[in-house]
Amino acid sequence: MTDQPIPDSPSEESGASQGDPAFTPAFDHPLLPKERMTIDRTHMPEQDALLRAANFREVNLGYSQQLAMLEAERCLQCRNPVCIEGCPVRVNIPLFIERLRVGDMDGAAASLLDDNALPCVTGRVCPQEIQCEGRCVRAKKGASVAIGSLERFVADWAMAHPDRSKPDAPATSGRSVAIVGSGPAGLTAAGELVKQGHDVTVFEAFHAAGGVLIYGIPEFRLPKDIVQQEVDRLVASGVKIETNAIIGRTYTLRELRDRFDAVFLAVGAGLPVFMNVPGENLKGVYSANEYLTRVNLMGAWNPESDTPVLRGHRVVVVGGGNVAMDSVRTAKRLGADEAIIVYRRGMAELPARVEEVHHAEQEGIRFELLVAPLEVLGDENRWVTGIRCIRMELGEPDASGRRRPTPIAGSEFVIDCEMVVVAIGTRSNPLLTASEPDLALNKEGYIVTDEHGMSSLPGVFAGGDIVRGAATVILAMGDGKRAAAAVDAWLRGEYPPRVEAEPAAPSPMPAARAAAH
Amino acid sequence: MHAVVDRAQLSPNVTRLVIEAPRIAEIRQPGQFVIVHRAPGAERIPLTIADADPQRGTITLVIQAVGKSTEDLVALQVGDAIADVAGPLGRATELLDHGRAVCVGGGVGTAVVHPIALGLAARGVEVISVIGGRSKEWVIFEDELRRAGEVITCTDDGSYGRHGFVTDALRDVIEARGVDAVYAVGPVPMMRAVAELTRPYGVPTFASLNAIMLDGTGMCGGCRVAVGGKTVYACVDGPEFDAHQVDFRELADRLGTYRDFEARALEIAHRRDAAAEAGATQAAGGRCLIPGLASTAEAQEAVEAAGKRA
Ligand SMILES: Cc1cc2nc3c(=O)[nH]c(=O)nc-3n(C[C@H](O)[C@H](O)[C@H](O)COP(=O)(O)OP(=O)(O)OC[C@H]3O[C@@H](n4cnc5c(N)ncnc54)[C@H](O)[C@@H]3O)c2cc1C
Ligand SMILES: Cc1cc2nc3c(=O)[nH]c(=O)nc-3n(C[C@H](O)[C@H](O)[C@H](O)COP(=O)(O)OP(=O)(O)OC[C@H]3O[C@@H](n4cnc5c(N)ncnc54)[C@H](O)[C@@H]3O)c2cc1C
Ligand code: SF4
Ligand code: FES
């Protein structure tokens, strides 16, 4: 069963775009675990690397129904599903996979959406290899179950069949909650709180909701209409969204506390960090935030857009995380002949998702690893002409256990380029946090909370990147979910919430499975 | 949506729009601005809140048409609407509370300095406004500024008021009467010339920097300018700064990012496919970035002229 044929145009055959074909199991009899072990991991169909490096369409095309049903057969339905322990929001992975396997799409979608408010998003952007898939027992012998791809398949199906997974409208509680920031943390909390019948208003500084999902992560990785549909789904369920509302400017936090019964701060870690080297204010140097916002939120990838973005023939991106990969692949798509990553550690240390690094390599991105920038060089008109760098070697492990890069004397060299994009991290933005002296912050400026997510101000909760520092979508969502539970308890006058035991990883005994036997 | 409730042409390329924005009208302070996004697909551009009427729930924008986005805005008529108006942004002006202040306005900067002049006057400061334009028809906001105090008008061609640059009039006021602070808003060369003029007199001078902006909240860093050798963000740390500390050359230079891009784009164009080329050329626009001046050459001249006089 090694070389499963991949359908010619998988996107057209994917479950999401079809009407409602009968989902029939891949095999007409239940397989034994031994038999399941013989099925190799199916490959996610993707756009050809050469083609996609010149367009902004999504790279991954999604499973066809056939591939999804086959991949679902690979799950062993472990009695002790360690995959769930790897998931920050504890999605009941074997349960939704089993429902998918037997063709119960409604059931699969219902269970997934119950655990995860934005599965179309996480199925595309979670670092599965260090979460669920990293734990999956099948990884010990061969490849893990492609949990992320299956999640995406089920989530896209649910998105295409909204009427089939609509929850009942709850009774109104008469309590109101303000949520500041419409990234994954804010949207998740909004969804949870509106389910409890609270009156929820999300305040967003930009003119569009979605946070990093809309202005940061590019179209080719996370199509914007998917984020928009998630937002629309929340609005349809009763969440109010006030865009162009900058808390700390348009309204103060104090005003929100007066107007609402509780507040959840989910403003992300939006401040760009620059390298602090000479030449950084030359024309042609962007922060990744500016570069990606121009291209994604403002649509500068499209020549019809009013917002300009520089295009370089050689573009250097400094950094090694997801943000750097997104920037460098964007530069390639905007026509760069050479798009180059400059990162001060090695390949093994790149913090980006493995799949992104892999895709970047396929697209012809050049990696200058163990290299640190020293200076941005410019011409007499102050346009970037290059970046002077130094080679590094990995020395002794530092406090964090990572081997510390140290410069190799005399190894300086110049990479010629017309543009430099700085993607070396972000910090907390003091715009809101500094406006309220009583809001306790740690020394990096992130909001300090108790174990339930409440800040030093009673009734004001916080989560996502503004508490953790730049982290991940799923951790932000987890915070949103936990904070929503705490806010709900607060509104009912039962704060602190009874500490829920770590949601026990439920054993997969789906009704669907029983029915199938 | 923010409806346009009033519109007037003030000078050949400057238009006043009064738009609905009740919350902003209620809380804005002198020196603050908004980011305007006319419609989906449009650019986000910063514009100063030139005036506000909290009762009517409106703010006044005074817009100089220099490129696609500003042209699209001034083409709006009463009854049209703007999709997004975010603000008020930036720090409020640090207003003097006694003594004598000069407010210097050049071109559309005259409208921008207007709320500052009124704010000063309301605190009992003696305000002298020194405003300029190329010729009579380019002088704006004279009557409005008279509400704050004395107004000295200058035109480059002598067709109205004093013949000459605002810096000449400013020097006379400083020498004849003494001044406690100067607030300057206008083209970069004008602000630079004002800063050079007041420096030897030791008069505290503030300039409102019109850096290219995107979000206006500190998240992109595109508006970074060097002040006192340190990089700061015009949108959240400003837009007003100690003019004696500002690196005006870098500001003028960075404002040219997308202007020069046109030429650069052409140079690189042959390496790219036709579609990408179309995008780059459109993006560049090729206009003078400095409000009040029609071309780069004119800006250059103004710098030199101002430099000679100062
Ligand atoms: C380019 C890029 C790629 C990434 N790729 C991945 C990936 O592949 N996988 C992954 O798991 N993670 C990825 N991340 C990280 C992930 O996106 C973040 O960890 C996550 O979005 C944090 O969510 P959040 O809700 O805390 O904040 P954000 O998503 O940052 O949202 C915060 C929102 O609050 C708004 N806001 C800020 N201040 C105010 C204010 N004062 N008033 C009103 N609104 C305000 C902002 O405009 C923003 O919309 C990526 C990040 C970037 C930038
Ligand atoms: C805080 C602040 C307050 C401002 N207040 C006003 C105001 O009250 N009235 C007013 O008319 N203008 C004001 N401006 C300037 C105004 O934002 C720009 O003129 C406008 O963004 C140009 O957009 P455009 O699309 O019409 O021109 P574009 O076609 O974008 O620009 C024409 C050329 O001008 C350049 N440019 C882009 N941004 C700026 C800028 N900020 N300043 C100068 N040139 C720029 C472009 O790169 C391009 O080459 C202010 C700017 C700032 C930062
Ligand atoms: S670890 Fe989870 S996904 Fe992997 S086989 Fe077991 S139940 Fe299935
Ligand atoms: S406009 Fe983006 S940081 Fe100032």
Side-chain angles (χ1 to χ4, degrees):
Chain A
M1 289 208 185
T2 328
D3 290 308
Q4 273 306 312
I6 290 169
D8 288 339
S9 51
S11 59
E12 271 149 44
E13 279 203 30
S14 85
S17 58
Q18 276 198 358
D20 190 11
F23 278 76
T24 45
F27 299 94
D28 53 12
H29 63 94
L31 299 187
L32 297 168
K34 217 167 50 191
E35 293 173 302
R36 297 188 191 285
M37 288 297 289
T38 65
I39 312 173
D40 283 342
R41 181 165 162 144
T42 49
H43 288 286
M44 166 66 84
E46 53 192 41
Q47 267 198 80
D48 174 73
L50 219 65
L51 269 178
R52 73 182 190 234
N55 70 46
F56 275 84
R57 287 195 301 278
E58 196 175 6
V59 170
N60 287 335
L61 298 169
Y63 275 160
S64 64
Q65 177 185 326
Q66 208 185 347
L67 283 177
M69 299 305 276
L70 180 63
E71 183 64 28
E73 294 285 352
R74 295 185 65 235
C75 174
L76 302 176
Q77 296 294 315
C78 303
R79 195 175 313 234
N80 174 24
V82 283
C83 52
I84 299 181
E85 286 162 27
C87 174
V89 299
R90 302 281 185 269
V91 167
N92 190 335
I93 293 162
L95 175 61
F96 91 77
I97 294 182
E98 178 60 11
R99 288 180 174 175
L100 166 64
R101 192 189 69 79
V102 302
D104 172 16
M105 290 309 287
D106 290 289
S111 92
L112 182 56
L113 277 162
D114 207 40
D115 294 331
N116 177 342
L118 308 169
C120 291
V121 174
T122 52
R124 287 172 168 81
V125 305
C126 267
Q128 288 93 1
E129 69 274 6
I130 55 166
Q131 295 178 173
C132 53
E133 294 183 16
R135 302 285 187 90
C136 173
V137 294
R138 291 211 51 175
K140 292 199 190 98
K141 253 182 128 189
S144 70
V145 172
I147 301 169
S149 303
L150 290 174
E151 178 180 54
R152 170 185 160 153
F153 180 79
V154 172
D156 284 359
W157 181 91
M159 180 84 87
H161 300 84
D163 44 324
R164 306 261 300 254
S165 45
K166 202 171 176 177
D168 301 330
T172 53
S173 71
R175 301 295 174 132
S176 63
V177 185
I179 294 179
V180 186
S182 64
L187 292 180
T188 303
E192 295 290 326
L193 287 162
V194 86
K195 268 193 228 164
Q196 307 298 326
H198 304 305
D199 181 3
V200 180
T201 307
V202 178
F203 294 91
E204 168 55 48
F206 267 125
H207 59 268
V212 167
L213 307 181
I214 207 105
Y215 71 70
I217 305 181
E219 180 76 16
F220 58 81
R221 226 158 44 86
L222 180 62
K224 297 310 147 215
D225 62 342
I226 287 181
V227 182
Q228 192 55 50
Q229 285 183 59
E230 298 280 20
V231 171
D232 291 347
R233 181 151 68 187
L234 285 176
V235 171
S237 71
V239 173
K240 283 171 259 175
I241 300 186
E242 188 174 335
T243 49
N244 304 309
I246 302 121
I247 309 309
R249 290 279 195 252
T250 315
Y251 305 99
T252 60
L253 180 52
R254 170 119 300 283
E255 281 172 286
L256 294 192
R257 296 179 71 195
D258 292 344
R259 255 174 75 190
F260 295 86
D261 298 312
V263 179
F264 177 54
L265 303 176
V267 292
L271 216 64
V273 172
F274 282 93
M275 300 177 286
N276 223 347
V277 301
E280 229 167 358
N281 290 357
L282 291 168
K283 287 172 293 184
V285 182
Y286 278 129
S287 72
N289 271 2
E290 178 174 8
Y291 187 55
L292 292 172
T293 302
R294 282 181 180 274
V295 175
N296 299 324
L297 178 70
M298 305 311 296
W301 61 273
N302 175 359
E304 300 289 299
S305 164
D306 283 355
T307 304
V309 70
L310 298 174
R311 293 162 190 242
H313 145 68
R314 276 154 73 95
V315 179
V316 165
V317 174
V318 182
N322 286 320
V323 187
M325 294 307 140
D326 285 345
S327 301
V328 81
R329 296 171 69 199
T330 295
K332 186 83 191 172
R333 283 162 174 74
L334 288 177
D337 295 336
E338 249 192 313
I340 306 158
I341 284 281
V342 164
Y343 180 59
R344 62 198 189 111
R345 298 179 199 253
M347 201 66 170
E349 287 83 17
L350 284 171
R353 290 178 81 221
V354 170
E355 188 186 24
E356 308 314 328
V357 176
H358 179 61
H359 280 161
E361 286 183 305
Q362 290 177 335
E363 289 164 16
I365 302 302
R366 180 174 138 199
F367 286 82
E368 285 286 354
L369 300 170
L370 287 167
V371 170
L374 296 175
E375 181 182 8
V376 183
L377 307 172
D379 62 15
E380 68 283 4
N381 295 317
R382 301 222 246 186
W383 278 104
V384 170
T385 58
I387 183 163
R388 197 163 61 84
C389 301
I390 189 162
R391 299 214 180 267
M392 312 289 277
E393 58 192 348
L394 289 181
E396 293 304 304
D398 61 14
S400 73
R402 293 202 298 175
R403 292 175 64 196
R404 187 198 300 275
T406 48
I408 304 174
S411 67
E412 284 142 47
F413 68 108
V414 170
I415 304 175
D416 294 330
C417 62
E418 292 112 20
M419 269 178 70
V420 173
V421 178
V422 184
I424 56 171
T426 51
R427 304 182 275 131
S428 84
N429 188 336
L431 194 67
L432 176 141
T433 52
S435 72
E436 189 76 34
D438 293 337
L439 182 65
L441 306 176
N442 68 16
K443 62 180 191 306
E444 280 99 36
Y446 295 107
I447 299 174
V448 177
T449 67
D450 68 14
E451 71 265 39
H452 311 294
M454 188 150 88
S455 73
S456 58
L457 301 173
V460 177
F461 298 76
D465 283 3
I466 189 55
V467 171
R468 299 173 175 274
T472 60
V473 170
I474 193 69
L475 286 171
M477 288 174 57
D479 286 356
K481 197 168 170 180
R482 194 169 329 105
V487 168
D488 187 53
W490 169 264
L491 293 174
R492 284 186 283 104
E494 292 166 14
Y495 194 85
R498 265 177 303 131
V499 187
E500 262 179 59
E502 183 77 293
S507 63
M509 285 195 305
R513 189 186 198 185
H517 283 250
Chain B
M1 293 298 260
H2 303 260
V4 175
V5 297
D6 197 9
R7 179 185 186 282
Q9 187 86 25
L10 303 184
S11 86
N13 70 347
V14 176
T15 303
R16 183 182 66 209
L17 291 184
V18 180
I19 62 169
E20 280 172 359
R23 174 64 188 176
I24 297 170
E26 181 189 333
I27 60 166
R28 66 93 211 193
Q29 291 176 291
Q32 288 189 300
F33 64 95
V34 287
I35 295 252
V36 173
H37 178 240
R38 187 183 45 82
E43 221 178 337
R44 291 169 61 95
I45 64 166
L47 295 168
T48 306
I49 306 163
D51 209 346
D53 184 340
Q55 266 78 46
R56 275 177 84 198
T58 59
I59 60 171
T60 301
L61 304 177
V62 178
I63 306 161
Q64 177 167 38
V66 296
K68 168 101 173 34
S69 303
T70 43
E71 266 165 22
D72 288 349
L73 278 176
V74 303
L76 294 176
Q77 301 298 326
V78 172
D80 289 343
I82 295 173
D84 303 286
V85 178
L89 295 165
R91 291 181 193 274
T93 309
E94 283 173 37
L95 295 171
L96 207 64
D97 50 15
H98 62 276
R100 182 181 301 126
V102 177
C103 292
V104 185
V108 75
T110 311
V112 177
V113 86
H114 162 251
I116 300 174
L118 289 187
L120 287 165
R123 295 168 144 238
V125 175
E126 180 192 344
V127 177
I128 302 165
S129 300
V130 175
I131 62 176
R134 264 179 254 168
S135 62
K136 182 170 194 307
E137 55 178 358
W138 297 87
V139 174
I140 62 168
F141 261 66
E142 194 181 355
D143 294 339
E144 286 87 343
L145 279 168
R146 240 181 262 292
R147 284 191 278 151
E150 183 183 343
V151 179
I152 303 171
T153 308
C154 314
T155 49
D156 298 0
D157 65 358
S159 59
Y160 185 64
R162 250 183 96 139
H163 186 174
F165 289 108
V166 287
T167 34
D168 303 330
L170 174 61
R171 181 188 299 104
D172 291 351
V173 175
I174 293 175
E175 297 211 325
R177 300 189 246 176
V179 168
D180 299 302
V182 171
Y183 298 84
V185 191
V188 174
M190 183 210 90
M191 293 192 286
R192 171 153 62 177
V194 167
E196 289 319 313
L197 170 67
T198 59
R199 193 193 306 276
Y201 296 100
V203 180
T205 303
F206 304 91
S208 179
L209 307 189
N210 56 342
I212 294 177
M213 294 185 180
L214 185 57
D215 55 295
T217 62
M219 72 74 75
C220 80
C223 64
R224 58 196 190 277
V225 289
V227 178
K230 261 182 54 193
T231 294
V232 295
Y233 292 175
C235 69
V236 285
D237 301 320
E240 278 152 35
F241 294 97
D242 176 351
H244 296 149
Q245 302 287 326
V246 172
D247 183 343
F248 284 108
R249 176 164 176 228
E250 183 177 285
L251 173 66
D253 180 60
R254 287 184 61 79
L255 279 170
T257 301
Y258 299 103
R259 179 188 53 212
D260 299 3
F261 181 57
E262 186 178 36
R264 255 166 62 93
L266 280 175
E267 186 190 307
I268 302 169
H270 63 270
R271 298 197 197 100
R272 285 197 312 251
D273 64 16
E277 181 186 328
T281 312
Q282 175 180 347
R287 305 262 182 150
C288 177
L289 318 174
I290 301 166
L293 297 175
S295 70
T296 322
E298 201 177 326
Q300 207 52 48
E301 258 168 49
V303 178
E304 276 155 24
K308 250 181 259 147
R309 279 151 203 276

